[in-house]
Amino acid sequence: IAVLKWLLVGRVKPGRHEVFSFAYVRYWLADKLMELSLDLLSPLYATIYLNPWYRLLGVKLGRRTEVSTASSIGFDTLRIGEESFIADGVGLGVPRVHHGKLEIKETTVGRRAFVGNSAVLPAGAEVGDGVLIGVLSVPPRQREDALKAESSWFGTPAVFLPQRQTATQFDEGSTFRPPTRLRVQRALIEFVRVILPLMCMIALTSMMMSVVVTLDDDYEWEIWQIAAVFPLLYLVYGALAAAFVVALKWIVIGRYKPVEKPLWNRFVWRSELVTSTYENLAVPFFATLLSGTPFLPMYLRLLGSKIGRRVYMETTDVTEFDVVSIGDDAALNSDCGPQTHLFEDRVMKISKVEIGARCMVGGGSIVLYDTTMEDDSSLGELSLLMKGETLPAGTSWHGSPARPVAPQHE
């Protein structure tokens, strides 16, 4: 992917280009290569092994920067300062197409900044030192606001947060500047984390194909017979992958409980090992196929989630399974998720999410930890329920941050 990027695309520079130009085609190709890397190299993300890969693609990364699964990046036009933290699903320097033109701009994130899950930094955005951009949020529109050091912004459009919770109980040796001993431990655990899902997938695929060859060679089955039994065979091996993740979770972690741990801590790395294996083995091999069926809640119960009867789930985005509680007849729509942890201040904070009976969570929405959705409440599409909030029974909410929706009268 890196060779193709540099041979076919070269260095991406700021500028405006017609969508019917070769420059646009080159950028489109680079973007598709990045999407391919997200699929093929997904276990690499959110590990210490990602930074060399990003630098190889042209991203200017400062030392000790933590980058998770960014949904898209600006390649050579992206600069991230030292010791910043980029959470899951962030859009970094996403170009804009308007009136038939592609606009590429320099995007800059300052030192020790934090960009939350599913946030979007559009092309040309500038984020100052120590600035926090919240979950499902964008930077403020005024440049001087976004560059204001140590400020916090949340929502779409962004709202200034005068106060926020900060973690001060851990020293910099366990958050920003760890000793060599912790670096070595993390490197070893994350090496296992990177290769384990792919090893299991290769082994299961090889076993599955060996059975097919055996049916063909030893039992002389016809092609149509093998094709007829193949879905059942795939289901068996998918179930084996899912069962492996269940065993791994209970052996490595046991039961999740509300806790706060610094980034450079073995519990965090073990937890991320389980999560990565779930997302890169159980989800693509098995759980995604169960999405929207009664069988997905059954599987998540095996992992420790408390899920009631007749729950509809069109999302597999569950991480710390045991702290998730979902009541009877609830509905979680496509790509939504109970966000049971955050990494603010480089501290992993895990706590409970409680979704009551007959609740609805809209597509693309996020329910942060320490929240409660009481019975019959609903959260609209692409919305965010902030930490510590409770949606009263029978009410409807929408937006980021979520605001009450007036009832409609017939």
Side-chain angles (χ1 to χ4, degrees), residues 81-189:
E82 290 185 1
E83 300 177 343
S84 289
F85 195 104
I86 310 298
D88 290 334
V90 176
L92 292 169
V94 183
R96 183 186 185 197
V97 176
H98 184 62
H99 287 172
K101 292 184 182 294
L102 170 72
E103 190 172 36
I104 302 174
K105 295 182 179 180
E106 294 275 359
T107 304
T108 305
V109 178
R111 180 178 180 271
R112 292 200 178 186
F114 177 88
V115 183
N117 298 57
S118 302
V120 174
L121 302 187
E126 296 180 82
V127 175
D129 295 343
V131 171
L132 179 143
I133 305 297
V135 176
L136 209 64
S137 302
V138 295
R141 293 174 180 173
Q142 300 299 322
R143 180 174 180 269
E144 57 269 23
D145 290 337
L147 291 176
K148 184 179 180 181
E150 307 299 328
S151 59
S152 300
W153 301 89
F154 179 81
T156 51
V159 176
F160 176 68
L161 293 180
Q163 291 183 334
R164 69 176 181 91
Q165 291 179 333
T166 56
T168 58
Q169 68 270 44
F170 302 108
D171 60 23
E172 290 210 346
S174 59
T175 54
F176 287 97
R177 299 171 183 263
T180 302
R181 169 180 56 86
L182 291 180
R183 292 178 181 274
V184 172
Q185 290 180 17
R186 181 177 177 182
L188 292 173
I189 294 175

Side-chain angles (χ1 to χ4, degrees), residues 306 323-327 338 340 351-356 359 367-374 377 385 389:
K306 295 173 277 294
V323 293
V324 175
S325 176
I326 304 173
T340 49
S351 195
K352 296 180 179 180
V353 171
E354 297 184 6
I355 300 174
C359 288
V367 181
L368 291 181
Y369 61 78
D370 281 339
T371 57
T372 300
M373 293 182 64
E374 295 183 349
S377 62
L385 182 58
E389 291 193 338

Side-chain angles (χ1 to χ4, degrees), residues 192-204:
V192 175
R193 168 185 166 179
V194 168
I195 66 171
L196 183 61
L198 297 177
M199 285 178 55
C200 293
M201 190 171 292
I202 291 171
L204 289 169

